[in-house]
Amino acid sequence: MRWIDHAIWWHVYPLGFCGAPIRDHDATPAPRLRRLLNWLDYAVELGASGLLLGPVFASQAHGYDVVDPFRIDPRLGRQQDFDDLVAQCRARGLRVVLDGVFSHIGDQHPAVLRALHEGPGSEADMFDIDWAADGGPRPRVFEGHSSLVRLNHASPRTADHAVAVMNHWLDRGIDGWRLDAAYSVPVDFWGRVLPEVRGRHGDAWFLGEVIHGDYSAFVTSSGVDSVTQYELWKAIWSAIADRNLFELNWALVRHNEFLARFVPNTFVGNHDVTRIASLVGPDHAVLAAAILLTVGGVPSVYSGDEQGFTGIKEERVGGDDAVRPAFPDTPAELADWGRDVMRAHQDLIGLRRRHPWLVTARTESLTLTNTRYSYRSSAAHGGEWIDVHIDLDDHPQVRIDDAAGVTLWSSPG
């Protein structure tokens, strides 16, 4: 098995987690990234095997408007602060994956400003600019966001840039990349870039952010290892909230089809969506975690979900703040009310670690109604299985049994 087959990610959005100012243009540089050092033992105690980190590179505001992908954001610190983080992760056996933005860049990127000032030229072909626009050259932007300039993915210079960035940080000790908005980039771009990087870092893992569409076709055409399994994310919370477990069963049938071709990244929360505890309630959030950790995939737990954090994503300026909060300096400062949720996550992750075959497990329905569902997760090549029993009637409950009929874990209810 590759190292990724044992991976369970603790997903962190560093700018928020470390309390960096997001929209303050006069933000004071500070080694805020070092706050994460105090949380590495916590990640190990949770049962995670690595950190899936959001943006850490110099940017204008939220991290996805990068202005220098070779430099740590001054609001988080300096290169040494990042190097120390990677070293401390290594000392604990934790892998590190970074968030790479190769779809677009910040509109204040020096090269963009030079291109607009100097006109078409060798450097300018990296950017998607309408040179004939009324009123002068105008960059085409990413999904209507005026601060995000689209890259020109047909340019060899853009591909060379992506290869250089990826190799730079892989050389410094990271283990892979989450490719932000990978769905918005032509697949042939990834087909040119990723083989170049793999030629130097053959063990690196590449996760493409893909929300809709044909996941399997994207993996095959792009060459990524995995994509974000938003179909399953939606089905888990929606089936629980709507008391319609048929939706979950349908998604797991689809999930089996994906697993036959690649291993998706599974999750019930991330930095872009409303917290699972806000979607389904704190008790049902544990139920969602039980589903996440008993089906195939490379799972990630969004920091705070394991404590029952709440937060609603809103479509407005600052609408992400509630799901990207600052964390205390140390885990000892967490409120007591999250302990039971944390304990449940530890138990479920422990169960998954004792059954490593779950990474490629297939599921089959045993019994199904709107509010009760039993499914069997079996090793892809047979021999081992567990049964998961979900009951949404009266009090939410989950029970997990093994082949001998022994109850491995059950939620309070």
Side-chain angles (χ1 to χ4, degrees):
M1 298 178 82
R2 293 181 59 201
W3 66 265
I4 191 60
D5 295 327
H6 301 277
I8 298 172
W9 299 111
W10 193 46
H11 182 187
V12 176
Y13 176 75
L15 288 167
F17 188 103
C18 298
I22 301 298
R23 288 174 295 279
D24 182 355
H25 296 294
D26 296 321
T28 302
R32 296 179 177 90
L33 190 63
R34 303 193 75 83
R35 181 180 296 187
L36 260 175
L37 297 175
N38 300 330
W39 288 81
L40 298 184
D41 289 338
Y42 171 92
V44 172
E45 291 166 7
L46 173 64
S49 61
L51 301 187
L52 177 60
L53 294 179
V56 297
F57 308 127
S59 69
Q60 295 165 203
H62 46 67
Y64 292 98
D65 43 6
V66 176
V67 293
D68 188 348
F70 295 99
R71 182 166 61 99
I72 297 299
D73 196 303
R75 293 171 294 172
L76 292 174
R78 299 181 178 181
Q79 182 65 56
Q80 189 60 54
D81 300 308
F82 178 79
D83 290 345
D84 289 347
L85 176 62
V86 172
Q88 289 298 316
C89 284
R90 281 283 175 269
R92 292 165 174 80
L94 294 170
R95 300 276 182 167
V96 178
V97 165
L98 291 185
D99 206 340
V101 188
F102 303 105
S103 163
H104 51 269
I105 60 174
D107 67 341
Q108 297 304 301
H109 191 290
V112 172
L113 298 178
R114 284 195 299 270
L116 292 173
H117 176 69
E118 298 173 4
S122 60
E123 185 179 46
D125 76 349
M126 279 186 60
F127 313 113
D128 189 358
I129 297 175
D130 182 358
W131 296 104
D134 292 341
R138 181 182 304 126
R140 296 183 176 91
V141 300
F142 173 73
E143 296 184 352
H145 299 284
S146 60
S147 63
L148 304 178
V149 174
R150 289 283 304 171
L151 289 170
N152 173 20
H153 296 96
S155 169
R157 188 181 295 270
T158 305
D160 291 345
H161 166 79
V163 170
V165 172
M166 290 185 193
N167 278 334
H168 176 82
W169 295 100
L170 286 163
D171 288 345
R172 299 197 78 97
I174 72 165
D175 299 282
W177 287 93
R178 174 190 179 272
L179 306 174
D180 180 68
Y183 61 86
S184 72
V185 175
V187 290
D188 67 305
F189 177 81
W190 303 121
R192 298 195 307 273
V193 167
L194 298 185
E196 288 289 322
V197 181
R198 291 189 195 277
R200 185 154 148 185
H201 297 281
D203 211 25
W205 183 65
F206 297 94
L207 165 65
E209 183 194 15
V210 180
I211 300 173
H212 306 293
D214 188 335
Y215 293 166
S216 296
F218 184 90
V219 170
T220 300
S221 300
S222 67
V224 300
D225 296 293
S226 183
V227 298
T228 48
Q229 225 295 38
Y230 269 93
E231 283 190 19
L232 184 60
W233 161 77
K234 194 274 180 182
I236 291 174
W237 71 258
S238 180
I240 295 171
D242 295 341
R243 297 168 64 85
N244 177 19
L245 291 168
F246 285 92
E247 180 179 1
L248 175 59
N249 179 67
W250 173 248
L252 287 175
V253 171
R254 289 267 296 166
H255 194 57
N256 285 340
E257 296 172 3
F258 299 141
L259 284 161
R261 297 170 174 82
F262 68 98
V263 183
N265 165 230
T266 52
F267 56 94
V268 295
N270 65 31
H271 64 296
D272 280 330
V273 301
T274 292
R275 290 271 185 184
I276 187 66
S278 291
L279 288 169
V280 302
D283 291 339
H284 289 73
V286 171
L287 191 156
I291 299 168
L292 170 69
L293 293 163
T294 56
V295 300
V298 176
S300 56
V301 176
Y302 183 50
S303 53
D305 283 356
E306 78 284 354
Q307 291 286 335
F309 280 19
T310 57
I312 297 174
K313 159 94 171 183
E314 300 179 41
E315 296 301 326
R316 60 174 178 81
V317 175
D320 296 312
D321 292 356
V323 297
R324 302 176 180 181
F327 276 56
D329 285 337
T330 69
E333 299 170 67
L334 287 168
D336 290 342
W337 51 258
R339 288 182 179 177
D340 289 346
V341 181
M342 175 68 168
R343 181 72 259 172
H345 277 76
Q346 289 174 312
D347 290 344
L348 288 163
I349 291 174
L351 183 152
R352 190 177 185 91
R353 285 188 170 278
R354 293 190 300 275
H355 299 80
W357 51 266
L358 278 166
V359 67
T360 55
R362 309 300 199 269
T363 59
E364 60 177 311
S365 174
L366 302 177
T367 63
L368 177 62
T369 69
N370 280 344
T371 57
R372 294 187 179 184
Y373 180 32
S374 294
Y375 62 84
R376 175 166 293 174
S377 287
S378 304
H381 302 292
E384 297 186 83
W385 51 266
I386 59 172
D387 288 345
V388 181
H389 308 282
I390 302 168
D391 186 351
L392 298 181
D393 287 333
D394 299 325
H395 303 287
Q397 299 180 56
V398 186
R399 189 181 81 250
I400 304 171
D401 300 331
D402 68 8
V406 175
T407 296
L408 303 176
W409 184 83
S410 61
S411 64

